[in-house]
Amino acid sequence: MHPIINIAVKAARRAGNVIMRHLDRVDRLTVENKGRNDFVSEVDRQAEAEIIAVLRAAYPDHGYLAEESGAQPGNDYRWIIDPLDGTTNFLHGYPQFGVSIALEHKGRLEHAVVFDPHKNELFTASRGGGAQLNDRRIRVSAVTDLEYALLGTGFPFREQEHLETWIDTLRTLLPICSGVRRAGSAALDLAHVAAGRFDGFWEFGLSPWDMAAGCLLIEEAGGLVSDLGGGKNYLQNGNILAANPKIFVQMHERLRAVLPAALTG
């Protein structure tokens, strides 16, 4: 395992320990509303502080983009951090939440860790080194026909401007696939595409920390990732399509037929 991944794993596990210590006392946590359907708890902040402390001790010159503390400048390396992806799930005791940590160098993703502390599942990837789940090599699924594909998605729950468009995408994909799941943690959804549990995934309006690590996991597991127009601006515009290569082509074709030009251009 790459030394940088070892440090990121240490940081993710520290955050996971914070999260799991509080899982049985969520009713006593301090929770704030950052916006519509967008919550932050003291656990988010404590977990993020643990991550940054570990990373900063090892790499004091690196920059950061973290969900709760925002951007902090550094050198050509930047960590992209979501300390608790799936906060709403966590606050309800629903066991689908995780820690997402990615490192980019000059704008290119190089290392990724997604940790599910509830299941003790650790997804890791380094560019050119493949993707692993608990040190076992993983690959995207081998499903070739959308008819047999299980897809993941997320609702545009924070901003309602894309709700009708998302309903159109669901309407075009749901009748021709095996099923669609909405679990509530994009980081884990993307990790599950990398592991072959989902055959494809799409969502609008994500933030970079929701998907940076998961995107590299998928690419290193043999999958494809793009924005909804087929380009590589998903970290910038927040709109993402990810799947194994065969399902990616079929999803992209059907999504383009119903999406407005503003989302595909």
Side-chain angles (χ1 to χ4, degrees):
M1 189 179 290
H2 195 286
I4 288 179
I5 286 288
N6 286 332
I7 296 297
V9 166
K10 178 181 178 181
R13 289 196 178 278
R14 288 269 189 93
N17 288 340
V18 170
I19 293 166
M20 295 307 293
R21 279 202 310 269
H22 291 86
L23 185 59
D24 62 350
R25 57 182 98 162
V26 293
D27 58 323
R28 287 170 274 170
L29 294 177
T30 301
V31 180
E32 299 173 20
N33 192 335
K34 296 190 291 184
R36 178 181 172 84
N37 297 323
D38 192 6
F39 303 100
V40 59
S41 73
E42 59 192 279
V43 175
D44 296 73
R45 294 195 172 102
Q46 289 177 25
E48 184 170 293
E50 288 285 339
I51 292 169
I52 292 176
V54 171
L55 299 179
R56 182 168 282 149
Y59 305 106
D61 296 328
H62 287 190
Y64 300 89
L65 177 63
E67 179 172 14
E68 307 310 333
S69 56
Q72 301 176 43
N75 58 18
D76 290 337
Y77 290 90
R78 183 174 73 156
W79 293 94
I80 304 175
I81 301 163
D82 192 336
L84 176 50
D85 186 59
T87 298
T88 299
N89 285 350
F90 170 77
L91 293 174
H92 287 266
Y94 185 72
Q96 185 75 1
F97 46 80
V99 180
S100 179
I101 303 174
L103 178 65
E104 63 178 16
H105 180 235
K106 296 182 177 180
R108 188 173 84 155
L109 294 170
E110 297 290 342
H111 302 282
V113 172
V114 173
F115 180 46
D116 181 341
H118 194 270
K119 301 182 184 69
N120 196 30
E121 290 190 332
L122 181 71
F123 301 84
T124 59
S126 293
R127 183 168 294 279
Q132 296 79 35
L133 167 55
N134 292 345
D135 298 323
R136 175 180 60 83
R137 184 71 179 263
I138 54 175
R139 298 285 297 177
V140 293
S141 77
V143 172
T144 60
D145 192 327
L146 195 53
E147 178 183 358
Y148 303 106
L150 179 64
L151 307 180
T153 189
F155 306 148
F157 64 95
R158 293 192 186 104
E159 301 294 336
Q160 302 297 301
E161 61 177 311
H162 295 312
L163 181 58
E164 292 301 321
T165 301
W166 179 85
I167 291 172
D168 289 339
T169 65
L170 182 65
R171 187 178 290 119
T172 197
L173 290 172
L174 183 59
I176 57 173
C177 70
S178 285
V180 175
R181 304 289 183 265
R182 195 275 185 181
S185 169
L188 290 183
D189 289 341
L190 294 169
H192 291 175
V193 173
R197 297 171 179 174
F198 283 145
D199 304 297
F201 176 85
W202 86 102
E203 189 169 352
F204 307 154
L206 292 172
S207 298
W209 46 78
D210 297 319
M211 53 181 164
C215 290
L216 184 60
L217 283 169
I218 291 169
E219 291 178 341
E220 288 297 319
L224 298 177
V225 182
S226 79
D227 56 32
L228 297 178
K232 291 297 182 181
N233 293 320
Y234 44 87
L235 291 183
Q236 289 74 40
N237 62 35
N239 305 323
I240 186 170
L241 169 61
N244 78 41
K246 295 289 187 182
I247 299 302
F248 181 93
V249 172
Q250 296 168 58
M251 289 182 68
H252 184 241
E253 177 183 350
R254 286 159 176 80
L255 290 174
R256 280 187 69 89
V258 299
L259 289 172
L263 291 176
T264 59

